[in-house]
Amino acid sequence: MWTHRSISVSAAFEGTERVAAARALARSFLADVQDKHGLAVSVRALETVELVVSELVTNARKYAPGPYLLGLGVQDGCVEVSVWDSSPTPPAVLTPDPYRVGQHGLEIVIAAARTFRVRPEGAGKRVTAAIALADDPAGDPDVDPAHDCAGDLADGTPGGPAAG
């Protein structure tokens, strides 16, 4: 899937597995990133990646028929969470509404991620979000001095908090 990356993992899901299985894969992957590859992974990064995985996998299970693929990879100080599903319809970002109950997942992903991208792929689409692995040493979790994850994503598309 990401042949030019040195640290990555991917898994195919039929759509019947619990979302917890995808979160467990993310936790295990980030533990390996830290323990086997010596890269720092902040608690904030771990929690954010788990949240993003939960939201993107839940959307794939809810809105796309059939299987989905989850990919996790590290590049330039960021972990990219990528979910491919069989629906070509891009996810809808709803207008913020503090009175709406539910359906805030995509808003949360976009707010938590450094970059967010949706692109058509094959018969479906791929949704990718990048999260910085380490916090800013000054304590600002929104600033990563090593890399801001705003460069090109691994698939070659420009980064940035925009869907489309």
Side-chain angles (χ1 to χ4, degrees), residues 65-87:
Y68 60 91
L69 303 172
L70 169 63
L72 300 156
V74 172
Q75 183 174 342
D76 297 328
C78 298
V79 61
E80 291 180 11
V81 177
S82 174
V83 176
W84 176 89
D85 67 48
S86 60
S87 172

PDB file of all heavy atoms in Angstrom, residues 65-87:
ATOM      1  N   PRO A  65     -21.200   0.161   1.760  1.00  0.00           N
ATOM      2  CA  PRO A  65     -21.430  -1.282   1.787  1.00  0.00           C
ATOM      3  C   PRO A  65     -20.114  -2.033   1.625  1.00  0.00           C
ATOM      4  O   PRO A  65     -19.199  -1.565   0.959  1.00  0.00           O
ATOM      5  CB  PRO A  65     -22.328  -1.507   0.565  1.00  0.00           C
ATOM      6  CG  PRO A  65     -21.954  -0.407  -0.375  1.00  0.00           C
ATOM      7  CD  PRO A  65     -21.598   0.772   0.503  1.00  0.00           C
ATOM      8  N   GLY A  66     -20.017  -3.157   2.283  1.00  0.00           N
ATOM      9  CA  GLY A  66     -18.857  -4.006   2.069  1.00  0.00           C
ATOM     10  C   GLY A  66     -17.661  -3.688   2.917  1.00  0.00           C
ATOM     11  O   GLY A  66     -17.744  -2.987   3.920  1.00  0.00           O
ATOM     12  N   PRO A  67     -16.509  -4.189   2.473  1.00  0.00           N
ATOM     13  CA  PRO A  67     -15.291  -4.105   3.278  1.00  0.00           C
ATOM     14  C   PRO A  67     -14.681  -2.699   3.260  1.00  0.00           C
ATOM     15  O   PRO A  67     -15.051  -1.849   2.450  1.00  0.00           O
ATOM     16  CB  PRO A  67     -14.354  -5.098   2.593  1.00  0.00           C
ATOM     17  CG  PRO A  67     -14.811  -5.115   1.181  1.00  0.00           C
ATOM     18  CD  PRO A  67     -16.297  -4.909   1.229  1.00  0.00           C
ATOM     19  N   TYR A  68     -13.734  -2.515   4.163  1.00  0.00           N
ATOM     20  CA  TYR A  68     -12.944  -1.278   4.177  1.00  0.00           C
ATOM     21  C   TYR A  68     -11.514  -1.635   4.548  1.00  0.00           C
ATOM     22  O   TYR A  68     -11.241  -2.696   5.102  1.00  0.00           O
ATOM     23  CB  TYR A  68     -13.532  -0.228   5.132  1.00  0.00           C
ATOM     24  CG  TYR A  68     -13.610  -0.665   6.566  1.00  0.00           C
ATOM     25  CD1 TYR A  68     -12.553  -0.414   7.448  1.00  0.00           C
ATOM     26  CD2 TYR A  68     -14.729  -1.325   7.052  1.00  0.00           C
ATOM     27  CE1 TYR A  68     -12.622  -0.809   8.770  1.00  0.00           C
ATOM     28  CE2 TYR A  68     -14.794  -1.728   8.383  1.00  0.00           C
ATOM     29  CZ  TYR A  68     -13.750  -1.465   9.226  1.00  0.00           C
ATOM     30  OH  TYR A  68     -13.806  -1.863  10.533  1.00  0.00           O
ATOM     31  N   LEU A  69     -10.605  -0.747   4.206  1.00  0.00           N
ATOM     32  CA  LEU A  69      -9.187  -0.938   4.494  1.00  0.00           C
ATOM     33  C   LEU A  69      -8.710   0.179   5.393  1.00  0.00           C
ATOM     34  O   LEU A  69      -8.974   1.354   5.125  1.00  0.00           O
ATOM     35  CB  LEU A  69      -8.364  -0.916   3.198  1.00  0.00           C
ATOM     36  CG  LEU A  69      -8.755  -1.919   2.131  1.00  0.00           C
ATOM     37  CD1 LEU A  69      -7.977  -1.635   0.847  1.00  0.00           C
ATOM     38  CD2 LEU A  69      -8.504  -3.331   2.608  1.00  0.00           C
ATOM     39  N   LEU A  70      -7.998  -0.173   6.442  1.00  0.00           N
ATOM     40  CA  LEU A  70      -7.400   0.795   7.358  1.00  0.00           C
ATOM     41  C   LEU A  70      -5.895   0.749   7.169  1.00  0.00           C
ATOM     42  O   LEU A  70      -5.298  -0.329   7.200  1.00  0.00           O
ATOM     43  CB  LEU A  70      -7.749   0.454   8.806  1.00  0.00           C
ATOM     44  CG  LEU A  70      -6.993   1.220   9.901  1.00  0.00           C
ATOM     45  CD1 LEU A  70      -7.290   2.714   9.830  1.00  0.00           C
ATOM     46  CD2 LEU A  70      -7.332   0.653  11.273  1.00  0.00           C
ATOM     47  N   GLY A  71      -5.288   1.900   6.951  1.00  0.00           N
ATOM     48  CA  GLY A  71      -3.844   1.991   6.850  1.00  0.00           C
ATOM     49  C   GLY A  71      -3.307   3.012   7.828  1.00  0.00           C
ATOM     50  O   GLY A  71      -3.940   4.050   8.069  1.00  0.00           O
ATOM     51  N   LEU A  72      -2.164   2.713   8.420  1.00  0.00           N
ATOM     52  CA  LEU A  72      -1.480   3.619   9.329  1.00  0.00           C
ATOM     53  C   LEU A  72      -0.027   3.678   8.888  1.00  0.00           C
ATOM     54  O   LEU A  72       0.582   2.640   8.626  1.00  0.00           O
ATOM     55  CB  LEU A  72      -1.553   3.105  10.765  1.00  0.00           C
ATOM     56  CG  LEU A  72      -2.958   2.945  11.335  1.00  0.00           C
ATOM     57  CD1 LEU A  72      -2.970   1.932  12.456  1.00  0.00           C
ATOM     58  CD2 LEU A  72      -3.473   4.286  11.804  1.00  0.00           C
ATOM     59  N   GLY A  73       0.510   4.880   8.796  1.00  0.00           N
ATOM     60  CA  GLY A  73       1.899   5.016   8.400  1.00  0.00           C
ATOM     61  C   GLY A  73       2.518   6.253   9.006  1.00  0.00           C
ATOM     62  O   GLY A  73       1.827   7.231   9.278  1.00  0.00           O
ATOM     63  N   VAL A  74       3.824   6.194   9.234  1.00  0.00           N
ATOM     64  CA  VAL A  74       4.546   7.324   9.803  1.00  0.00           C
ATOM     65  C   VAL A  74       5.428   7.926   8.733  1.00  0.00           C
ATOM     66  O   VAL A  74       6.144   7.219   8.027  1.00  0.00           O
ATOM     67  CB  VAL A  74       5.403   6.892  11.015  1.00  0.00           C
ATOM     68  CG1 VAL A  74       6.296   8.025  11.490  1.00  0.00           C
ATOM     69  CG2 VAL A  74       4.496   6.418  12.138  1.00  0.00           C
ATOM     70  N   GLN A  75       5.347   9.248   8.651  1.00  0.00           N
ATOM     71  CA  GLN A  75       6.188   9.986   7.714  1.00  0.00           C
ATOM     72  C   GLN A  75       6.346  11.402   8.244  1.00  0.00           C
ATOM     73  O   GLN A  75       5.368  12.038   8.625  1.00  0.00           O
ATOM     74  CB  GLN A  75       5.529  10.014   6.339  1.00  0.00           C
ATOM     75  CG  GLN A  75       6.364  10.695   5.294  1.00  0.00           C
ATOM     76  CD  GLN A  75       5.731  10.564   3.916  1.00  0.00           C
ATOM     77  OE1 GLN A  75       4.883   9.731   3.681  1.00  0.00           O
ATOM     78  NE2 GLN A  75       6.160  11.404   3.013  1.00  0.00           N
ATOM     79  N   ASP A  76       7.578  11.892   8.248  1.00  0.00           N
ATOM     80  CA  ASP A  76       7.860  13.280   8.609  1.00  0.00           C
ATOM     81  C   ASP A  76       7.257  13.706   9.939  1.00  0.00           C
ATOM     82  O   ASP A  76       6.702  14.784  10.070  1.00  0.00           O
ATOM     83  CB  ASP A  76       7.377  14.232   7.510  1.00  0.00           C
ATOM     84  CG  ASP A  76       8.095  14.023   6.196  1.00  0.00           C
ATOM     85  OD1 ASP A  76       9.290  13.645   6.234  1.00  0.00           O
ATOM     86  OD2 ASP A  76       7.480  14.224   5.139  1.00  0.00           O
ATOM     87  N   GLY A  77       7.333  12.844  10.946  1.00  0.00           N
ATOM     88  CA  GLY A  77       6.870  13.209  12.277  1.00  0.00           C
ATOM     89  C   GLY A  77       5.371  13.138  12.464  1.00  0.00           C
ATOM     90  O   GLY A  77       4.858  13.615  13.472  1.00  0.00           O
ATOM     91  N   CYS A  78       4.678  12.549  11.515  1.00  0.00           N
ATOM     92  CA  CYS A  78       3.222  12.442  11.603  1.00  0.00           C
ATOM     93  C   CYS A  78       2.796  11.009  11.359  1.00  0.00           C
ATOM     94  O   CYS A  78       3.475  10.255  10.666  1.00  0.00           O
ATOM     95  CB  CYS A  78       2.554  13.310  10.545  1.00  0.00           C
ATOM     96  SG  CYS A  78       2.905  15.056  10.743  1.00  0.00           S
ATOM     97  N   VAL A  79       1.674  10.644  11.935  1.00  0.00           N
ATOM     98  CA  VAL A  79       1.053   9.366  11.595  1.00  0.00           C
ATOM     99  C   VAL A  79      -0.144   9.686  10.715  1.00  0.00           C
ATOM    100  O   VAL A  79      -0.936  10.576  11.014  1.00  0.00           O
ATOM    101  CB  VAL A  79       0.647   8.538  12.837  1.00  0.00           C
ATOM    102  CG1 VAL A  79      -0.367   9.257  13.697  1.00  0.00           C
ATOM    103  CG2 VAL A  79       0.131   7.177  12.436  1.00  0.00           C
ATOM    104  N   GLU A  80      -0.202   9.008   9.587  1.00  0.00           N
ATOM    105  CA  GLU A  80      -1.337   9.158   8.683  1.00  0.00           C
ATOM    106  C   GLU A  80      -2.292   7.995   8.891  1.00  0.00           C
ATOM    107  O   GLU A  80      -1.890   6.841   8.867  1.00  0.00           O
ATOM    108  CB  GLU A  80      -0.870   9.200   7.233  1.00  0.00           C
ATOM    109  CG  GLU A  80      -0.120  10.465   6.920  1.00  0.00           C
ATOM    110  CD  GLU A  80       0.357  10.520   5.485  1.00  0.00           C
ATOM    111  OE1 GLU A  80      -0.043   9.693   4.650  1.00  0.00           O
ATOM    112  OE2 GLU A  80       1.163  11.413   5.208  1.00  0.00           O
ATOM    113  N   VAL A  81      -3.547   8.337   9.110  1.00  0.00           N
ATOM    114  CA  VAL A  81      -4.615   7.360   9.238  1.00  0.00           C
ATOM    115  C   VAL A  81      -5.382   7.426   7.926  1.00  0.00           C
ATOM    116  O   VAL A  81      -5.842   8.493   7.522  1.00  0.00           O
ATOM    117  CB  VAL A  81      -5.551   7.699  10.413  1.00  0.00           C
ATOM    118  CG1 VAL A  81      -6.707   6.714  10.481  1.00  0.00           C
ATOM    119  CG2 VAL A  81      -4.784   7.745  11.723  1.00  0.00           C
ATOM    120  N   SER A  82      -5.501   6.295   7.263  1.00  0.00           N
ATOM    121  CA  SER A  82      -6.151   6.252   5.968  1.00  0.00           C
ATOM    122  C   SER A  82      -7.199   5.152   5.965  1.00  0.00           C
ATOM    123  O   SER A  82      -6.923   4.029   6.377  1.00  0.00           O
ATOM    124  CB  SER A  82      -5.095   5.981   4.888  1.00  0.00           C
ATOM    125  OG  SER A  82      -5.693   5.803   3.638  1.00  0.00           O
ATOM    126  N   VAL A  83      -8.407   5.483   5.522  1.00  0.00           N
ATOM    127  CA  VAL A  83      -9.471   4.488   5.423  1.00  0.00           C
ATOM    128  C   VAL A  83     -10.035   4.530   4.011  1.00  0.00           C
ATOM    129  O   VAL A  83     -10.480   5.585   3.552  1.00  0.00           O
ATOM    130  CB  VAL A  83     -10.595   4.731   6.461  1.00  0.00           C
ATOM    131  CG1 VAL A  83     -11.735   3.737   6.262  1.00  0.00           C
ATOM    132  CG2 VAL A  83     -10.046   4.624   7.873  1.00  0.00           C
ATOM    133  N   TRP A  84      -9.979   3.397   3.323  1.00  0.00           N
ATOM    134  CA  TRP A  84     -10.619   3.252   2.019  1.00  0.00           C
ATOM    135  C   TRP A  84     -11.907   2.491   2.236  1.00  0.00           C
ATOM    136  O   TRP A  84     -11.952   1.524   3.004  1.00  0.00           O
ATOM    137  CB  TRP A  84      -9.743   2.465   1.046  1.00  0.00           C
ATOM    138  CG  TRP A  84     -10.449   2.242  -0.264  1.00  0.00           C
ATOM    139  CD1 TRP A  84     -10.432   3.068  -1.345  1.00  0.00           C
ATOM    140  CD2 TRP A  84     -11.306   1.149  -0.610  1.00  0.00           C
ATOM    141  NE1 TRP A  84     -11.229   2.549  -2.343  1.00  0.00           N
ATOM    142  CE2 TRP A  84     -11.778   1.369  -1.912  1.00  0.00           C
ATOM    143  CE3 TRP A  84     -11.719   0.004   0.064  1.00  0.00           C
ATOM    144  CZ2 TRP A  84     -12.644   0.501  -2.564  1.00  0.00           C
ATOM    145  CZ3 TRP A  84     -12.594  -0.875  -0.573  1.00  0.00           C
ATOM    146  CH2 TRP A  84     -13.039  -0.617  -1.872  1.00  0.00           C
ATOM    147  N   ASP A  85     -12.979   2.948   1.573  1.00  0.00           N
ATOM    148  CA  ASP A  85     -14.228   2.189   1.593  1.00  0.00           C
ATOM    149  C   ASP A  85     -14.821   2.164   0.199  1.00  0.00           C
ATOM    150  O   ASP A  85     -14.327   2.823  -0.715  1.00  0.00           O
ATOM    151  CB  ASP A  85     -15.210   2.729   2.642  1.00  0.00           C
ATOM    152  CG  ASP A  85     -15.737   4.120   2.340  1.00  0.00           C
ATOM    153  OD1 ASP A  85     -16.160   4.376   1.193  1.00  0.00           O
ATOM    154  OD2 ASP A  85     -15.744   4.952   3.258  1.00  0.00           O
ATOM    155  N   SER A  86     -15.875   1.388   0.023  1.00  0.00           N
ATOM    156  CA  SER A  86     -16.434   1.118  -1.297  1.00  0.00           C
ATOM    157  C   SER A  86     -17.453   2.140  -1.783  1.00  0.00           C
ATOM    158  O   SER A  86     -17.986   1.989  -2.872  1.00  0.00           O
ATOM    159  CB  SER A  86     -17.072  -0.273  -1.299  1.00  0.00           C
ATOM    160  OG  SER A  86     -18.106  -0.325  -0.332  1.00  0.00           O
ATOM    161  N   SER A  87     -17.709   3.175  -1.029  1.00  0.00           N
ATOM    162  CA  SER A  87     -18.653   4.203  -1.465  1.00  0.00           C
ATOM    163  C   SER A  87     -17.899   5.366  -2.104  1.00  0.00           C
ATOM    164  O   SER A  87     -16.999   5.933  -1.491  1.00  0.00           O
ATOM    165  CB  SER A  87     -19.465   4.738  -0.278  1.00  0.00           C
ATOM    166  OG  SER A  87     -20.245   5.853  -0.696  1.00  0.00           O
TER     167      SER A  87
END
